[in-house]
Amino acid sequence: MTIEFETPKPIENARFLLQTVADNMMRPVSRQFDEEEHTIPFSYIEFMHSAMRAMGGGSAGSLAPGEEKKPEDPNKPKRAPIAYQLLANQLEMLSWGDVGMYLVTPGGGLGAAAVQAAGSPEQKAKFLARFNEEKPTFAAMCMTEPHAGSDTSAIRTRAVLDEKTNEWVINGEKIFVTAGDKSFTERPEFGKGFLVVWASIDPSAGRAGMRSFVVEAGTPGVKITKLEHKMGIRVSDTASISFDNVRVPFENILGSPTVEKTTTGFKGAMATFDATRPLVAATGVGVARAALEEVKKMLAEQGVTIRYGLPRQKLTAVERDVVDMEIMLKSAWLMVLKAVWMADNKQPNALESSMSKVKAGDVVTKITQKAVELMGPLGYSREYLLEKWMRDAKITDIYEGTGQINRLVVARQVLGYSGSELR
Amino acid sequence: MYGFTPTDEQKMLIDTVVRYAKNDLRPAGHDADEAKVLPPKLISKGWELGVLQASVPEAYGGFGERSAVTGVLAAEELAFGDLAGALAVMTPSLFVTPILLAGSEEQKQTWIPPVIEADWMPFTAALIEPSFDFDPNALKTTAVREGDSYLLNGLKTYVPYAAEAEAMIVYAALDGVTKGFIVQKGDGLTVSERIKLMGLNALPLYQVRLENVRVPAANLLEGDFAPVLASMQVANAALAVGVARASFEYARDYAKEREAFGVKIAQKQAIAFMLAEMATEIEAIRLLTWQAAWKLDTGKEDAFIDAYLASTGAADMVMMVTDRGVQILGGHGYIRDHPVEKFMREGRGFASFTGLAIV
């Protein structure tokens, strides 16, 4: 054990590769897909899918790192696990390219992450294999409802077991489902995806009754009712989905079908967020880095270089801003790395995970907003990508737990308070 | 690889530092600040922990290798105890570490063992100058070569233990480039009365005037100043993290005790969110500091930039955190019975403290 910050070789290689993808497949079309909302970037999707398959089913874009491979020779020194660290780096780099397009990277996304976190070995085998098959395939998580955002325990969607057919019958309405359309609507270009739907199997049990269910693409009773028009990440579809007597097989429930008096089931589900929050934070850091690098490049073109090392009193106002942005960016990234490193090393990271999200949400909004301000009329112009990144960035402070919800999680952790002690 | 856990060796050293900070420094902090003096026994006990000794190779009287990472871990804990006490304990490294980093083999052999092998003695350094835009890379103090010696002229301030110091490193611009010079007691330095600051009351600090102070040419540290400055910056950042953590933990514990409107004030989101942000920003700067220290240890190209960023960021962070520490205690925070006002007075200083410590 030691304190060190050397980027592992496999991660360095992955970053190098994805930098090429970002430069060639994302940046040149960033503006186009921002303007043409809801147009699907098939060429990017197909390229990423075949590239990931060629690399042996790499998990970029899928928020679920694969199972760790057992070392073949037990005498060989065991390599430290880096799956989450690798993933955070990949997402950071893709989001540096274009965070909206990163969200349409084919793969399991949050849906697969839920299966990975709460599914049985059989469920994992059944539902996760599809992402490495011939066609690009998507999965999505349906959590938010019109009246239940951060307060996921207020979810009203119900799942009732029909004992005659041994099927779950799901009724309810979900909104803000990232990639919901691509995961459910069957298209010849894509493989068959699925939705992971959160529902209560026992409303009287509150959180203890909350479960998630895999709903395969094409299941009758599911309807995509709306695709949102958003401030940013416009290339990524955000769907409203209604569930009207939707029947799924009994074995599609993730977790125990019986309700106990404890909330361990719900807490287990919430633990998914411990794994995914730093990854979302990583995407924010990617956007922030893009904006800061662009600002420095545009300044350099005007002959302004940042004089690191000078006392603040001697820096220009622009230099001070850039130095402050640099501090924010670097420290936020380190918080992400620590959180995913803990996840890889099986250390509980609820605190670090939420902290990294709080920090990344803060810095990506501040950095991108400052970038637009600093570049004046150029920053605000759609001729450059800075204004787009500012619009894209804001979502990082909202989804996967708003900055405020994550502050609440951090506060409970540092105070040792339960949800009832600090509401 | 990435790693966020100290080595076993580091842990052992830090454990002793933690105990000393908690059991010795912290309880003494308030009275020392009021009395404006640190008990000598307190300092010598801290010195005997061997943090500096462990960073000096055996060849020069120590028993280890220098590691900025170990240094920042220790500095944070010491400052968590009490900043003035931490700076006092660390003062001899202001003399030793620059020689280790920028001195010749002969200088190391000559100057380091007598400091390292002895009890705590006030060997020190003079970097900071009394001007609002003080810049360690553009010093107003000058060094001019004259035959076999250098003539030093200028005014230094915030020099710990200058009045008693056997020797100190004085930084001066030699042809516009900052260099360190070993200056001894009898060399003609003029030391002022103790200076008085907003914080650090317990630490004896002085102005030092140099008027044609002549030092032998052999006393010039020829090595680059950049790694020395960076080591000061990461020390500054680590100390800031320690003070911030002290304030945060005190305010957190207070908020869990204090009741208002029938609940603990920590149960109010207004307070809880302040604490969450304090914890987050402390962790952010701690990691930035660790990385800068690690880059110094491994000779990374951008180590100096990162050390600068860590120190700059730390100055903002510690001001924010210690201000909130006072705020969370409300009126009580303003009373000197509680340490948070002291932490806040210290917090503001970190924008100007680079040069007061080195790891």
Side-chain angles (χ1 to χ4, degrees):
Chain A
M1 284 297 174
T2 165
I3 292 171
E4 56 185 325
F5 299 90
E6 196 80 63
T7 309
K9 201 74 200 162
I11 291 182
E12 212 172 280
N13 293 341
R15 289 188 67 94
F16 179 80
L17 245 145
L18 291 177
Q19 166 93 58
T20 320
V21 173
D23 281 335
N24 297 302
M25 303 296 296
M26 300 174 113
R27 289 286 180 91
V29 292
S30 262
R31 179 56 71 187
Q32 180 202 337
F33 286 104
D34 179 62
E35 306 266 327
E36 299 166 14
E37 192 163 20
H38 298 155
T39 306
I40 298 174
F42 285 107
S43 61
Y44 167 76
I45 291 170
E46 275 151 25
F47 170 82
M48 283 304 282
H49 184 64
S50 48
M52 288 191 294
R53 283 187 86 209
M55 290 189 299
S59 51
S62 159
L63 288 179
E67 293 290 299
E68 279 161 45
K69 291 194 187 85
K70 296 269 180 312
E72 285 147 28
D73 180 357
N75 296 324
K76 259 193 198 166
K78 215 179 141 207
R79 283 216 193 130
I82 58 165
Y84 276 111
Q85 296 161 66
L86 174 65
L87 196 48
N89 272 276
Q90 290 170 324
L91 303 198
E92 194 270 351
M93 187 52 94
L94 286 174
S95 305
W96 177 89
D98 186 306
V99 69
M101 288 185 80
Y102 144 69
L103 288 167
V104 298
T105 306
L110 288 174
V115 174
Q116 187 77 43
S120 64
E122 297 75 42
Q123 288 173 323
K124 289 182 198 177
K126 182 178 175 195
F127 295 122
L128 300 180
R130 66 190 71 194
F131 301 108
N132 289 327
E133 283 167 14
E134 198 188 332
K135 289 181 181 176
T137 305
F138 296 83
M141 172 100 101
C142 309
M143 172 83 91
T144 304
E145 299 184 358
H147 53 269
S150 297
D151 183 5
T152 48
S153 63
I155 281 171
R156 286 183 199 162
T157 299
R158 289 284 324 263
V160 179
L161 184 63
D162 180 344
E163 282 172 3
K164 275 177 247 157
T165 60
N166 210 25
E167 289 171 318
W168 295 99
V169 182
I170 301 172
N171 279 288
E173 201 181 328
K174 295 289 182 181
I175 61 168
F176 298 168
V177 181
T178 298
D181 182 44
K182 282 190 274 294
S183 301
F184 189 81
T185 306
E186 295 183 270
R187 288 187 177 80
E189 296 91 343
F190 299 152
K192 186 175 176 179
F194 62 80
L195 306 171
V196 169
V197 183
W198 285 77
S200 174
I201 55 172
D202 181 0
S204 69
R207 286 176 170 177
M210 215 64 80
R211 292 293 182 279
S212 52
F213 297 85
V214 177
V215 178
E216 295 270 7
T219 306
V222 181
K223 199 175 164 212
I224 308 282
T225 53
K226 187 182 176 194
L227 294 181
E228 302 286 356
H229 295 88
K230 302 191 298 297
M231 180 185 192
I233 55 165
R234 291 180 181 173
V235 66
S236 162
D237 73 83
T238 303
S240 299
I241 308 179
S242 67
F243 297 84
D244 182 12
N245 285 317
V246 173
R247 291 177 166 269
V248 300
F250 178 79
E251 59 272 18
N252 282 23
I253 187 171
L254 300 175
S256 164
T258 55
V259 176
E260 286 136 32
K261 286 269 146 51
T262 66
T263 56
T264 44
F266 186 77
K267 279 180 183 157
M270 287 292 111
T272 312
F273 288 119
D274 295 343
T276 53
R277 276 177 178 154
L279 297 174
V280 174
T283 68
V285 172
V287 180
R289 183 166 65 86
L292 180 53
E293 285 179 4
E294 183 68 13
V295 163
K296 284 164 79 172
K297 192 177 131 225
M298 290 170 80
L299 286 172
E301 283 165 6
Q302 299 302 313
V304 180
T305 49
I306 309 304
R307 296 168 296 165
Y308 295 101
L310 281 189
R312 277 220 173 111
Q313 292 86 332
K314 284 187 173 180
L315 293 174
T316 64
V318 170
E319 285 174 319
R320 282 185 71 149
D321 282 340
V322 172
V323 164
D324 288 345
M325 289 154 88
E326 202 103 44
I327 292 164
M328 288 190 254
L329 177 71
K330 288 194 170 184
S331 57
W333 178 233
L334 290 169
M335 296 183 86
V336 171
L337 284 183
K338 185 177 177 187
V340 289
W341 173 86
M342 291 177 83
D344 277 331
N345 288 283
K346 308 265 185 285
Q347 296 179 14
N349 70 344
L351 172 64
E352 288 76 8
S353 159
S354 284
M355 265 189 181
S356 75
K357 178 65 168 51
V358 166
K359 183 68 177 170
D362 274 2
V363 313
V364 71
T365 47
K366 280 185 196 152
I367 287 175
T368 54
Q369 289 164 15
K370 185 54 89 174
V372 171
E373 181 208 329
L374 286 181
M375 292 301 104
L378 305 182
Y380 198 72
S381 163
R382 283 199 268 174
E383 201 176 314
Y384 298 87
L385 288 169
L386 288 172
E387 65 81 28
K388 174 181 179 293
W389 291 333
M390 179 185 134
R391 288 184 287 110
D392 288 348
K394 186 58 202 169
I395 194 61
T396 318
D397 204 18
I398 297 171
Y399 65 8
E400 206 67 6
T402 60
Q404 288 62 45
I405 278 297
N406 278 298
R407 275 167 174 76
L408 200 55
V409 176
V410 171
R412 285 175 187 156
Q413 292 279 332
V414 299
L415 288 162
Y417 277 165
S418 65
S420 58
E421 287 168 305
L422 179 59
R423 301 171 75 86
Chain B
M1 299 299 285
Y2 304 122
F4 296 88
T5 323
T7 62
D8 290 342
E9 213 176 319
Q10 284 168 333
K11 266 186 210 149
M12 272 164 55
L13 180 69
I14 299 311
D15 281 350
T16 63
V17 177
V18 166
R19 277 197 297 276
Y20 167 73
K22 190 168 159 249
N23 302 331
D24 299 286
L25 279 180
R26 179 62 69 82
H30 174 267
D31 290 354
D33 191 66
E34 297 287 329
K36 300 183 173 52
V37 61
L38 287 155
K41 267 192 193 157
L42 182 71
I43 304 172
S44 54
K45 189 170 179 185
W47 173 250
E48 282 155 19
L49 300 175
V51 176
L52 178 61
Q53 295 89 325
S55 77
V56 171
E58 275 177 44
Y60 315 121
F63 53 85
E65 280 301 319
R66 176 174 174 273
S67 153
V69 170
T70 309
V72 297
L73 293 174
E76 176 186 332
E77 296 302 338
L78 288 170
F80 175 77
D82 177 62
L83 182 60
L87 291 170
V89 169
M90 293 169 74
T91 292
S93 67
L94 281 173
F95 184 79
V96 169
T97 306
I99 296 176
L100 206 54
L101 290 172
S104 66
E105 186 55 35
E106 202 190 327
Q107 287 168 331
K108 292 179 199 175
Q109 302 274 6
T110 310
W111 296 100
I112 296 180
V115 183
I116 282 297
E117 289 167 353
D119 292 339
W120 182 93
M121 287 194 293
F123 284 84
T124 186
L127 173 69
I128 301 171
E129 297 175 345
S131 75
F132 84 94
D133 59 350
F134 164 69
D135 179 353
N137 285 307
L139 296 179
K140 294 183 174 123
T141 301
T142 56
V144 178
R145 178 87 186 218
E146 213 183 71
D148 280 348
S149 52
Y150 288 98
L151 279 186
L152 303 181
N153 280 287
L155 184 60
K156 295 289 181 181
T157 190
Y158 288 54
V159 187
Y161 295 98
E164 305 124 81
E166 291 297 318
M168 68 176 77
I169 299 196
V170 172
Y171 294 92
L174 178 63
D175 301 323
V177 179
T178 299
K179 291 284 177 190
F181 296 84
I182 300 166
V183 182
Q184 287 179 275
K185 207 170 193 171
D187 288 341
L189 299 168
T190 314
V191 178
S192 72
E193 293 294 299
R194 264 180 78 166
I195 59 170
K196 296 170 185 169
L197 306 175
M198 178 159 71
L200 300 183
N201 294 335
L203 187 72
L205 292 163
Y206 303 87
Q207 280 205 350
V208 172
R209 188 174 292 282
L210 302 107
E211 275 169 6
N212 290 323
V213 170
R214 188 179 293 275
V215 297
N219 286 14
L220 162 70
L221 304 181
E222 301 234 16
D224 280 346
F225 176 60
V228 175
L229 176 60
S231 303
M232 290 171 166
Q233 286 164 334
V234 293
N236 194 49
L239 292 163
V241 171
V243 171
R245 206 182 90 217
S247 178
F248 161 71
E249 290 190 9
Y250 195 91
R252 176 198 63 193
D253 295 346
Y254 180 90
K256 289 182 73 174
E257 288 299 319
R258 172 77 182 186
E259 287 197 13
F261 306 106
V263 294
K264 308 293 184 193
I265 60 168
Q267 293 177 274
K268 300 279 186 193
Q269 286 193 353
I271 301 294
F273 279 22
M274 282 167 79
L275 288 164
E277 286 165 6
M278 291 155 80
T280 303
E281 294 306 311
I282 291 169
E283 174 77 350
I285 297 298
R286 176 187 293 122
L287 293 178
L288 199 60
T289 306
W290 284 7
Q291 189 183 40
W294 173 82
K295 285 186 179 182
L296 285 175
D297 285 343
T298 51
K300 295 283 181 279
E301 227 173 82
D302 56 349
F304 302 152
I305 290 182
D306 276 27
Y308 164 75
L309 294 177
S311 182
T312 306
D316 287 347
M317 178 279 291
V318 69
M319 185 72 253
M320 181 277 272
V321 170
T322 56
D323 174 76
R324 289 181 175 196
V326 173
Q327 190 69 24
I328 287 170
L329 270 74
H332 296 281
Y334 202 69
I335 308 293
R336 296 214 300 273
D337 293 350
H338 291 284
V340 285
E341 66 81 30
K342 172 173 162 290
F343 297 145
M344 182 178 156
R345 286 187 284 115
E346 291 164 352
R348 180 66 290 169
F350 284 96
S352 310
F353 285 166
T354 297
L356 276 188
I358 189 167
V359 294

